[in-house]
Amino acid sequence: MSLLSDEDKNTLKDIFSKKLAGNVKLAAFTRKDNCEYCNELTELIKEVTSLDQRISYEIYDFDENPEKRKEYFVEMAPAITIAGAKIYKVHYYGLPAGYEFSAFIDDIIDASRGTTRLAPSTINKLGTINRDVKIQVFVTPSCPYCPRAVRLAHQFAMVNDRIEGSMIEALEFEDLANEYGVMSVPHIVINGSYTFIGAVPETQFLNYLFDALEGGTSPEQAGEVSSL
């Protein structure tokens, strides 16, 4: 059964024809067992890649391909990662469904162009980061604010290779969500300890990132409430 309607496919074909600039590869990692949405994830990337010859895909078994996991910086399955002229540390852990599908399409376009939509000042500041950073954005498909947070994390990762940006579908990775105390989304975790909630503006997200790197107290610990 197709996941995309004929109308959706026609719309995406038009978007890709106008906005794609170069080739993009989607690498999917699935598991044979205990992977509720692996079939849907595989079907989704097949349908998306069928809409434009510049988009291709590869599918790997997570457990049988440790070298590919390392190449694409993948830690869990199911997962999708995106490569343009290079492999970005940009991940979708879980199915990019619902509102997240728009973020997925925007990431493909950015990867094809090798550019992001961040402000020049943001790009310059991100370029000063010289240590590894992991940004995890916990989402649900029904959250209309989550794609904004995912896109910022992913664009940060596209700008600086030391940054890893991951969308994590909280319902699919329930144990991990519970580990980080996810009660509402988007719930953002930087380097495993610094957390904030909400689809904050680009400048605020950037400030939180540098505050985390400088050992600051996260907004959640300080009792701050982020606005959507």
Side-chain angles (χ1 to χ4, degrees):
M1 179 179 176
S2 178
L3 298 178
L4 300 176
S5 68
D6 289 340
E7 182 179 358
D8 290 336
K9 290 178 181 179
N10 288 332
T11 299
L12 288 172
K13 283 181 181 179
D14 185 57
I15 290 173
F16 290 151
S17 68
K18 293 177 179 177
K19 296 187 176 182
L20 289 183
N23 294 330
V24 178
K25 181 183 292 183
L26 306 179
F29 289 80
T30 62
R31 276 184 156 138
K32 294 184 178 70
D33 301 314
N34 300 319
C35 189
E36 184 177 358
Y37 293 101
C38 279
N39 289 337
E40 288 86 348
L41 183 142
T42 299
E43 178 62 25
L44 181 65
I45 66 167
K46 286 182 178 179
E47 290 184 24
V48 169
T49 56
S50 72
L51 302 176
D52 194 289
Q53 63 182 2
R54 289 168 292 184
I55 312 174
S56 61
Y57 73 90
E58 297 174 345
I59 299 175
Y60 301 103
D61 183 284
F62 179 86
D63 299 302
E64 296 176 1
N65 291 277
E67 73 289 345
K68 286 297 181 180
R69 295 202 313 259
K70 182 177 181 180
E71 180 182 356
Y72 285 96
F73 312 100
V74 170
E75 299 177 345
M76 307 183 294
I80 300 174
T81 191
I82 300 174
K86 63 180 179 179
I87 296 173
Y88 295 108
K89 294 180 182 177
V90 167
H91 306 114
Y92 284 87
Y93 288 120
L95 188 67
Y99 286 103
E100 289 306 322
F101 186 68
S102 63
F104 181 52
I105 298 304
D106 282 342
D107 280 344
I108 291 173
I109 293 169
D110 282 357
S112 80
R113 296 176 171 181
T115 61
T116 69
R117 307 170 203 191
L118 298 171
S121 59
T122 299
I123 294 172
N124 289 337
K125 192 166 184 180
L126 288 170
T128 67
I129 295 175
N130 58 7
R131 48 183 154 154
D132 292 338
V133 183
K134 178 185 285 189
I135 306 173
Q136 298 166 293
V137 183
F138 288 88
V139 308
T140 59
S142 60
C143 168
Y145 308 106
C146 291
R148 187 194 307 175
V150 170
R151 281 283 292 143
L152 285 174
H154 284 178
Q155 289 179 94
F156 286 4
M158 288 182 176
V159 166
N160 189 324
D161 293 341
R162 302 300 295 268
I163 302 173
E164 178 181 348
S166 300
M167 181 215 83
I168 302 174
E169 211 287 291
L171 302 178
E172 290 186 56
F173 293 91
E174 187 175 3
D175 289 344
L176 188 60
N178 289 336
E179 179 182 337
Y180 285 113
V182 176
M183 301 295 290
S184 58
V185 291
H187 182 112
I188 298 91
V189 181
I190 301 175
N191 284 349
S193 59
Y194 188 100
T195 63
F196 64 94
I197 296 170
V200 300
E202 179 181 318
T203 54
Q204 190 172 353
F205 200 130
L206 185 67
N207 289 338
Y208 283 156
L209 174 60
F210 275 84
D211 190 41
L213 293 176
E214 294 164 4
T217 301
S218 71
E220 289 307 295
Q221 294 172 320
E224 295 180 19
V225 177
S226 299
S227 59
L228 296 176

